[in-house]
Every structure is written in C-alpha cells, then in structure tokens.
C-alpha cells in the first residue's frame, strides 16, 4: 500500500513509500537533494520498518533539527501509529 507524508523543516516537501509485510519499498522524495535521496532510497529498500526508524531517527542536517532521513523515520512512525 502506498503512503504519503508531508515533511517539515527540510527541502523535500513530501515523501512517498510503500509498505509490504512491514518492509519499506519504493521511497520517493519530492524536492531536495537528488543524490542524497537516491542513497537513502537504495539503503532502505526492503528494510524492516522498525530498523529504518531506529537507524534514521534523530539525524540532523546542518543547523536544522531534522533531515530527510529523520523525516523518513517520522513518516514511518506515523504509518505505524495509524496516522497516514
């Protein structure tokens, strides 16, 4: 099933992703740093939702209190909490 998350505090304005059998697939960022996003996408493809959250939560970007990886973790937490 496909989910969309409206980001906050980063250049990308939205993150889309699929969840199948509690695994993350087809992550897409709208806006932001294409190269960094490609790296994140390749690293998390097929990974367990909880593992992605554990590895990416709390990562910051420069002076910001969040980052694209952190926002992906927040998106997955929202999915887990039934908020998407």
């Amino acid at each position: 099933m496909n989910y969309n998350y409206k980001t906050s505090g980063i250049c990308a304005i939205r993150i889309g992703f699929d969840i199948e059998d509690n695994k993350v697939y087809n992550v897409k960022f709208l806006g932001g740093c294409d190269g960094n996003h490609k790296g994140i996408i390749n690293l998390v493809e097929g990974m367990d939702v909880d593992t992605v959250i554990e590895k990416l939560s709390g990562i910051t970007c420069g002076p910001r209190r969040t980052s694209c990886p952190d926002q992906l973790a927040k998106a997955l937490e929202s999915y887990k909490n039934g908020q998407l």
Side-chain angles (χ1 to χ4, degrees), residues 19-39:
I19 302 292
E20 291 181 31
D21 298 322
N22 206 47
K23 300 206 181 303
V24 180
Y25 297 99
N26 303 316
V27 175
K28 292 180 177 66
F29 288 84
L30 179 60
C33 305
D34 185 56
N36 288 332
H37 295 158
K38 287 176 182 174

Side-chain angles (χ1 to χ4, degrees), residues 2 4 7-8 13 16-17 19 26 28 30-31 34 39 45-46 50 53-54 57 61 63 65-66 69 72 76 83:
N2 186 267
N4 283 290
T7 62
S8 176
I13 59 173
F17 57 93
I19 302 292
N26 303 316
K28 292 180 177 66
L30 179 60
D34 185 56
E45 181 74 14
D50 293 318
I53 292 169
E54 178 185 326
S57 288
C61 181
R65 294 183 180 183
T66 190
L72 177 56
L76 296 173
Q83 297 172 334

Side-chain angles (χ1 to χ4, degrees), residues 57-72:
S57 288
I59 294 174
T60 59
C61 181
R64 298 177 179 160
R65 294 183 180 183
T66 190
S67 65
C68 292
D70 184 58
Q71 287 291 298
L72 177 56

